[in-house]
Amino acid sequence: MSSLHRQLSQLLSAWSWRRRVDVSLCSATGLHLRTYCSTSSEPDPLQVHRRKLFLWFSHLPQEEKQFGGYFSPETMHVDPLIVERKAEERAGLLSSPLQTQPLTSSSVSVEQLFETTDTWNEGRGVNVLLYGAVGTGKSTVVRKLVLDWCLGTGLTHFKLLVPFSCEDLSELSKVASLRDLVSRKYLHLRKHPLLSGEGNQAKDVLFLFNGMEKMKLDFRIGSTELCSDPNEALPPNVVVVNLLRKYLLPEASILVTTRLSAMDRIPQKYVSRYAQICGFNDPGRQRAYFTSRLLQQSGEAARDHEAQALIELLYLNLQRESQLAAACFLPSYCWLTCATLHFLHFTDAKAPIRTLTGIYTSFLRLNFGGEVLGTGAGTNVPLQGHNNSLMLYVVRTVGKMAFEGVTYKRTSFSEKELEQWIGGKTKTDEELHQLAMFRTDVLDFFLAPCVESGKHFPEALSENDEQRYVFAVPAMQEYLAALYVVLGENKSALEKLSKQMSVAIGQAGEDVNALFGILSKFIPLRIFAVFNLLKLFPKLYEKISSHNKGSIARTMATEMFRTEDSYNEDVLDQVEQSLLGVHGPQPQQHSEGPPFELYPIFMGGLLHYGNRVLLQQLGCSIQSTTVVQITRALRKHLVRELSKPQPPEEMMDLLVLLYEFQNPRLTAEVLASMRTIRLTNIRMTSLKCFVLSSVLSCTPTSYHLEELDLSSCLLTHDLLQTLWPAFRHTHNLKLCDNPLLESGACTLLEALPENQSLRHLSLMHTGLGDWGALQLAERLQQHSGLQELNVAYNNIGDNAALALVDACREHPSIHTVHLYLNPLSDVGKQSLYVRGVPSSDGGSGQRVKVLASVTEGSDLSEDWHPILRVIRENALSWDRQRVQQQLKVFLRDLEWGRQQQQSLWKRLHFRRVEKGVRQTLKLLEKDPPPPPTGYRM
């Protein structure tokens, strides 16, 4: 589908969807269509309210654009499990994310919580408290609830729904009445009689307060005065308290959502019903979520088929009760799983740039944006400065533990270790309140009980029967460890002291000497000597700081090129396996502990400006000077490491690091030291091809690689299109052992004219066939710099081979053509050798060396040795029967040529080559066949 056609289809779909919405909004409330659509000067305020609420709540956050924007909120919603709790068991939690036993409490929908019961008081509305831990889906449930009411498909017995954000209410400093609070956000409801307090009209009103933990509600009479007048101006928290007391608009119903730690801030007597959001407690809900996300593609059949295959693999992994199933108990981690898989499999070169680091940063912003660590019930002293950021608290506790785990190559932690890292050295009551809230609301979000025992655990720990905990998804440990380092939280004591002193000196201004005079009276002489050195600030502190940034860069480079991790699969494949599971033989691990190869890549990605902006919103600041210092040091370390040859997996990881960094200048400077990129046997995907092209696109037009080796990478026609920019930068391009076929050959030939520096092109074993060879012959003149062409083992017959050699002879610079292992007849081979030599009558063309066999007529080919070497290197991965057949043809050619020789020396030479061919045949007969990986033809 063309881009224009796709855009037109999307516009038509959006128009028809909006039209359906408008019609449903008119008809959902039981009113005639003309009431809503008429040109009356006074539209119904409730209809205006429904329309505006729908527009506000159907707006998706920026992070949802990870999925291409082909769906609406109602098409992607899956209801989490909601369990009604009795008052005495309201704090109870499910015993395990993978709980299979029946629940003692009943599962309900939010609408059922407002149904009339035997205990319902006719004159009083219902107060429902909906609570749950971070990530269980409270905000999503609220959004769907509001949208259903707007469409008339839910909570239909309420004429008016008034949602409030408690975060917004907590920021209000002025007093206001209830009607003022409503009209401030919903001006069209300013004079609505349902909010007047007269009669029992308020029974048709539902107030929704989302995120109650952000407000300091005090139900003590001495602290919060009583109020029954909707027009009386009071602080917002007092208004909310009186609504919950049923002193203000007692007929109105109220839905409050809050985190676990704050649910007891509302006294039990003011709560009619408790309900707990428990996430996705079974694979069925998880699969429904994945289906609603991953199948919402552009409508292309190929993508839908791939998405369906991904869903099946995910479901198999979940059914095995894997660690992923424990993580996806929280809908938030289902979102992260879908976003990561969409990134890995549906990267579109035309879409905005996305990175893995950006996905994880967005994930944390979705769950912790604006969240602060309160002081707990009964305390009114707020934390000072940026220390109240919940995300920063996570970094300093969970992040520190993650960093220690990465340092010592550990993925699991005991309860005692959790107590050590998370509990820390708490001293004050305020710190204890914060710790209790963090444990209740947040800790289970990052850590889950280990369900895959014995994996990567030290023997001493595996023998212990105590419960161990792991990060919900493995990559989260590496992300938080990287964030801990980049934020500079692993400072030495001297660095921390110098930073504190720099702040003190800055505040003292001209009274620096007086400050040191005072400090010298209270501080021992030995320690004060350090303070005296810090009087040289900023030079000394800058030196210490620069050293710290240099150590971060050195850590990134060291972790990137760990020798013990060199033979692991590349990081993108590791991420995919952690989500989809490993099917077939387990990948061989060459290190005792788990590889933490994402750790340095995340450190690089966190330095990107876009991620720093998101982290700033979370209260985690990475200064530009820090980025400059780390970048400068990293460039030096990377250039030094790249002076050594790197395995293909390590090279792919380096490309991912440069891509995640999103720093074109750094990328160009690092690539300037590279002359070869070998990615042999890397399973290239659309994302990896896009990464390679994006990285090489950062280089100037004058930059060229000596060699770009993409052999045995499972490249197809579609992937070649993504690689077009990469093909412009190489002298020697190897695409051997890839299923390019005829269509791929055409795509490649369309891309190559932009590269006028190409010297050597290898298309050995790519399935070109006769048609592909003829297409190549027609377009060779467009590649004026080409010198050597390898189309061996491509099922090319006599006629196509002759046409290709003729085209090469007319080419200004091609001197060698590889055609061995093709089904050529003896007459065809002889004709090729003759065609490769210009006629003696001075005809056009130049001499072209044709390598079609180990012999040339009755003589040995001078290139027999490189031909046999290529066959030996690839014989075990090629079609054995086909290769054996071609080797037997070589033996026949050698035997016939030896019989034609009169010289004993030449006969002995023929015997030597025959011996080499027979040894290769024995190798094929002796060794077992390889596993079915790579391209076989």
Side-chain angles (χ1 to χ4, degrees):
M1 183 186 294
S2 67
S3 175
L4 181 60
H5 188 195
R6 185 181 297 112
Q7 293 176 5
L8 181 59
S9 299
Q10 292 174 9
L11 287 174
L12 289 174
S13 299
W15 177 83
S16 60
W17 176 72
R18 285 295 181 189
R19 187 171 179 269
R20 291 197 303 272
V21 168
D22 290 342
V23 172
S24 62
L25 285 174
C26 293
S27 58
T29 58
L31 299 177
H32 294 294
L33 186 63
R34 63 175 180 271
T35 303
Y36 176 61
C37 302
S38 67
T39 58
S40 173
S41 59
E42 296 183 1
D44 184 356
L46 292 182
Q47 294 302 323
V48 173
H49 185 61
R50 288 179 185 270
R51 178 171 55 85
K52 290 192 174 183
L53 269 189
F54 185 89
L55 292 176
W56 289 334
F57 278 81
S58 62
H59 174 72
L60 295 175
Q62 181 72 20
E63 286 76 8
E64 294 294 1
K65 294 184 179 179
Q66 303 281 356
F67 305 96
Y70 295 111
F71 53 79
S72 58
E74 61 269 19
T75 64
M76 66 185 182
H77 180 79
V78 176
D79 288 320
L81 174 68
I82 301 177
V83 178
E84 184 172 5
R85 297 290 194 186
K86 297 179 181 178
E88 58 272 17
E89 64 177 8
R90 61 189 183 280
L93 301 176
L94 293 179
S95 59
S96 167
L98 299 174
Q99 175 176 320
T100 56
Q101 65 269 27
L103 297 167
T104 58
S105 302
S106 58
S107 173
V108 297
S109 67
V110 177
E111 188 161 2
Q112 289 173 330
L113 294 172
F114 292 96
E115 292 178 352
T116 303
T117 63
D118 295 337
T119 59
W120 182 68
N121 191 325
E122 182 67 28
R124 298 169 68 88
V126 179
N127 287 356
V128 174
L129 181 60
L130 184 65
Y131 63 96
V134 174
T136 49
K138 297 187 297 296
S139 297
T140 305
V141 167
V142 167
R143 176 188 293 135
K144 184 63 166 54
L145 184 72
V146 174
L147 291 176
D148 286 347
W149 180 81
C150 292
L151 293 173
T153 58
L155 297 173
T156 54
H157 52 289
F158 291 111
K159 295 180 180 179
L160 177 60
L161 172 62
V162 185
F164 281 106
S165 165
C166 291
E167 182 178 6
D168 292 344
L169 293 177
S170 66
E171 297 294 328
L172 295 179
S173 58
K174 297 181 179 180
V175 296
S177 67
L178 173 62
R179 303 201 71 168
D180 288 338
L181 291 176
V182 173
S183 62
R184 181 177 179 272
K185 191 170 184 178
Y186 309 105
L187 182 62
H188 45 277
L189 299 177
R190 181 181 53 181
K191 298 180 181 180
H192 203 282
L194 290 177
L195 300 173
S196 65
E198 298 176 359
N200 64 347
Q201 294 185 87
K203 66 181 176 60
D204 295 323
V205 179
L206 172 62
F207 289 100
L208 194 163
F209 295 99
N210 190 29
M212 187 269 294
E213 69 277 356
K214 296 184 175 67
M215 295 189 72
K216 300 186 184 300
L217 302 183
D218 192 341
F219 285 81
R220 295 174 297 177
I221 297 295
S223 301
T224 306
E225 60 182 293
L226 297 176
C227 172
S228 61
D229 184 0
N231 298 298
E232 183 178 352
L234 293 169
N237 60 316
V238 177
V239 174
V240 175
V241 165
N242 278 286
L243 280 171
L244 290 168
R245 283 175 174 160
K246 296 303 178 186
Y247 205 78
L248 176 62
L249 297 186
E251 303 83 9
S253 295
I254 301 173
L255 174 63
V256 175
T257 70
T258 189
R259 295 205 303 243
L260 286 170
S261 63
M263 55 180 300
D264 286 332
R265 294 187 188 178
I266 302 179
Q268 179 181 336
K269 64 179 180 180
Y270 297 129
V271 179
S272 308
R273 304 178 84 168
Y274 290 93
Q276 181 180 2
I277 296 186
C278 299
F280 296 155
N281 67 320
D282 61 273
R285 292 177 192 262
Q286 296 166 355
R287 180 173 185 169
Y289 185 95
F290 296 137
T291 302
S292 68
R293 294 279 177 156
L294 294 176
L295 281 183
Q296 298 289 343
Q297 302 299 327
S298 60
E300 298 176 7
R303 280 201 164 188
D304 286 345
H305 178 74
E306 184 177 358
Q308 190 62 56
L310 289 177
I311 293 170
E312 293 301 323
L313 291 176
L314 267 173
Y315 189 58
L316 288 175
N317 201 18
L318 296 171
Q319 285 181 314
R320 290 196 294 253
E321 294 192 355
S322 62
Q323 197 66 53
L324 176 68
C328 288
F329 168 72
L330 295 177
S332 292
Y333 278 103
C334 290
W335 182 93
L336 181 61
T337 298
C338 289
T340 304
L341 285 175
H342 196 277
F343 170 71
L344 291 174
H345 286 269
F346 302 113
T347 296
D348 188 348
K350 300 176 183 178
I353 291 290
R354 293 176 298 161
T355 64
L356 190 61
T357 313
I359 289 175
Y360 273 75
T361 307
S362 298
F363 169 72
L364 292 176
R365 194 186 79 88
L366 276 174
N367 288 279
F368 296 99
E371 296 286 349
V372 296
L373 192 65
T375 55
T379 60
N380 296 313
V381 182
L383 295 172
Q384 298 299 320
H386 63 277
N387 293 328
N388 61 346
S389 165
L390 181 57
M391 193 64 228
L392 192 58
Y393 191 92
V394 169
V395 173
R396 290 174 174 171
T397 52
V398 183
K400 186 175 184 179
M401 185 177 69
F403 172 71
E404 293 293 328
V406 169
T407 302
Y408 297 104
K409 300 185 82 66
R410 292 181 50 198
T411 58
S412 76
F413 307 90
S414 66
E415 292 185 5
K416 291 182 179 179
E417 289 169 328
L418 289 184
E419 180 65 32
Q420 174 187 355
W421 294 115
I422 307 303
K425 298 179 180 179
T426 55
K427 297 179 181 179
T428 66
D429 289 342
E430 182 180 337
E431 289 174 335
L432 289 173
H433 280 302
Q434 294 168 15
L435 177 60
M437 295 170 64
F438 181 77
R439 284 181 175 277
T440 303
D441 293 334
V442 181
L443 189 57
D444 290 342
F445 181 84
F446 291 101
L447 296 169
C450 180
V451 297
E452 298 176 356
S453 58
K455 183 178 180 181
H456 296 319
F457 298 164
E459 293 183 5
L461 297 178
S462 297
E463 295 173 358
N464 197 335
D465 293 333
E466 69 175 324
Q467 178 67 62
R468 304 195 65 81
Y469 296 86
V470 297
F471 281 83
V473 294
M476 184 58 73
Q477 178 178 355
E478 299 180 71
Y479 178 91
L480 289 178
L483 186 56
Y484 178 79
V485 172
V486 173
L487 285 175
E489 292 297 326
N490 60 331
K491 296 183 179 75
S492 65
L494 181 60
E495 290 170 319
K496 293 179 180 179
L497 180 63
S498 62
K499 185 172 184 179
Q500 293 169 0
M501 287 304 301
S502 68
V503 174
I505 293 173
Q507 293 174 349
E510 297 178 355
D511 297 328
V512 173
N513 291 329
L515 174 66
F516 279 97
I518 295 172
L519 290 175
S520 63
K521 298 177 181 180
F522 302 99
I523 299 176
L525 184 61
R526 184 183 302 174
I527 300 178
F528 189 67
V530 178
F531 285 3
N532 281 323
L533 286 175
L534 292 175
K535 290 176 65 177
L536 300 175
F537 184 88
K539 292 185 179 180
L540 178 60
Y541 177 69
E542 183 178 355
K543 184 176 181 180
I544 295 174
S545 178
S546 298
H547 176 76
N548 183 48
K549 306 308 182 294
S551 67
I552 294 176
R554 185 164 54 253
T555 299
M556 292 174 67
T558 302
E559 292 291 335
M560 175 62 64
F561 300 105
R562 275 183 181 268
T563 54
E564 64 266 31
D565 294 341
S566 297
Y567 299 98
N568 290 304
E569 293 179 276
D570 64 81
V571 293
L572 295 180
D573 278 354
Q574 292 177 32
V575 171
E576 182 182 272
Q577 288 175 4
S578 71
L579 299 179
L580 302 181
V582 179
H583 303 273
Q586 294 284 333
Q588 184 178 4
Q589 298 287 347
H590 291 263
S591 58
E592 295 181 358
F596 288 109
E597 296 167 325
L598 268 175
Y599 170 53
I601 291 174
F602 276 141
M603 278 196 278
L606 288 169
L607 299 179
H608 174 50
Y609 177 76
N611 289 322
R612 288 193 286 127
V613 169
L614 294 181
L615 288 170
Q616 180 71 41
Q617 299 173 13
L618 292 171
C620 301
S621 300
I622 303 175
Q623 302 299 323
S624 297
T625 53
T626 300
V627 177
V628 172
Q629 290 172 335
I630 295 177
T631 303
R632 187 183 301 121
L634 179 63
R635 178 172 55 248
K636 179 177 67 175
H637 290 296
L638 286 180
V639 169
R640 183 175 66 245
E641 291 290 341
L642 289 174
S643 62
K644 315 165 195 174
Q646 301 296 331
E649 295 81 7
E650 296 289 296
M651 181 59 68
M652 189 69 239
D653 290 350
L654 172 67
L655 296 173
V656 174
L657 169 67
L658 296 175
Y659 173 77
E660 293 281 326
F661 213 124
Q662 290 295 307
N663 186 325
R665 182 175 179 180
L666 172 70
T667 299
E669 292 175 349
V670 171
L671 290 180
S673 62
M674 296 170 56
R675 288 298 173 220
T676 300
I677 293 181
R678 291 191 178 93
L679 298 175
T680 312
N681 293 316
I682 294 294
R683 183 183 65 96
M684 295 298 285
T685 62
S686 59
L687 173 60
K688 294 177 187 176
C689 292
F690 182 69
V691 166
L692 176 59
S693 292
S694 298
V695 168
L696 287 176
S697 296
C698 296
T699 58
T701 55
S702 59
Y703 171 80
H704 289 94
L705 289 166
E706 289 298 327
E707 180 181 308
L708 175 59
D709 191 346
L710 296 173
S711 302
S712 304
C713 291
L714 296 180
L715 292 176
T716 61
H717 162 261
D718 294 331
L719 296 181
L720 283 183
Q721 292 181 322
T722 307
L723 285 170
W724 275 18
F727 293 153
R728 305 179 187 138
H729 297 274
T730 182
H731 293 304
N732 186 351
L733 179 57
K734 293 184 178 179
L735 297 171
C736 314
D737 299 308
N738 287 299
L740 303 183
L741 307 179
E742 297 172 348
S743 58
C746 290
T747 301
L748 179 66
L749 292 171
E750 292 174 6
L752 288 180
E754 298 186 26
N755 182 356
Q756 294 302 315
S757 63
L758 186 64
R759 302 288 179 264
H760 303 272
L761 176 61
S762 180
L763 298 174
M764 179 174 61
H765 191 217
T766 53
L768 296 181
D770 286 346
W771 190 84
L774 292 173
Q775 290 293 313
L776 191 59
E778 291 180 6
R779 305 193 189 187
L780 273 181
Q781 297 300 325
Q782 300 175 4
H783 314 286
S784 58
L786 196 61
Q787 298 175 0
E788 187 172 352
L789 178 64
N790 187 341
V791 289
Y793 196 179
N794 268 300
N795 203 27
I796 299 174
D798 290 352
N799 294 333
L802 288 171
L804 183 59
V805 170
D806 287 342
C808 291
R809 194 180 62 187
E810 299 298 324
H811 194 276
S813 57
I814 293 180
H815 54 70
T816 304
V817 180
H818 300 252
L819 281 164
Y820 43 87
L821 294 184
N822 282 303
L824 302 172
S825 64
D826 293 336
V827 175
K829 293 177 186 176
Q830 187 62 38
S831 301
L832 288 175
Y833 299 133
V834 173
R835 293 283 186 93
V837 180
S839 58
S840 57
D841 59 2
S844 62
Q846 62 173 357
R847 178 182 176 82
V848 175
K849 184 187 297 184
V850 179
L851 308 182
S853 178
V854 292
T855 61
E856 292 184 11
S858 60
D859 292 326
L860 277 174
S861 169
E862 60 183 13
D863 295 290
W864 67 269
H865 189 273
I867 292 175
L868 286 184
R869 176 174 54 79
V870 170
I871 293 175
R872 287 194 192 101
E873 289 175 352
N874 298 277
L876 296 179
S877 61
W878 287 348
D879 184 342
R880 291 195 173 199
Q881 185 176 359
R882 185 84 169 270
V883 174
Q884 288 173 335
Q885 180 183 358
Q886 288 296 317
L887 289 175
K888 291 175 181 178
V889 172
F890 285 176
L891 287 176
R892 190 187 64 198
D893 293 343
L894 288 168
E895 184 178 359
W896 181 84
R898 174 166 49 80
Q899 293 173 357
Q900 309 304 315
Q901 300 299 326
Q902 301 296 323
S903 168
L904 177 62
W905 177 254
K906 287 189 175 182
R907 287 185 179 183
L908 291 175
H909 199 185
F910 268 82
R911 290 281 187 186
R912 178 188 170 197
V913 179
E914 284 183 53
K915 182 180 179 181
V917 175
R918 294 185 190 279
Q919 286 177 342
T920 305
L921 273 172
K922 288 182 180 179
L923 177 67
L924 290 173
E925 295 170 355
K926 178 180 178 181
D927 289 341
T933 58
Y935 168 49
R936 308 290 299 280
M937 184 186 71

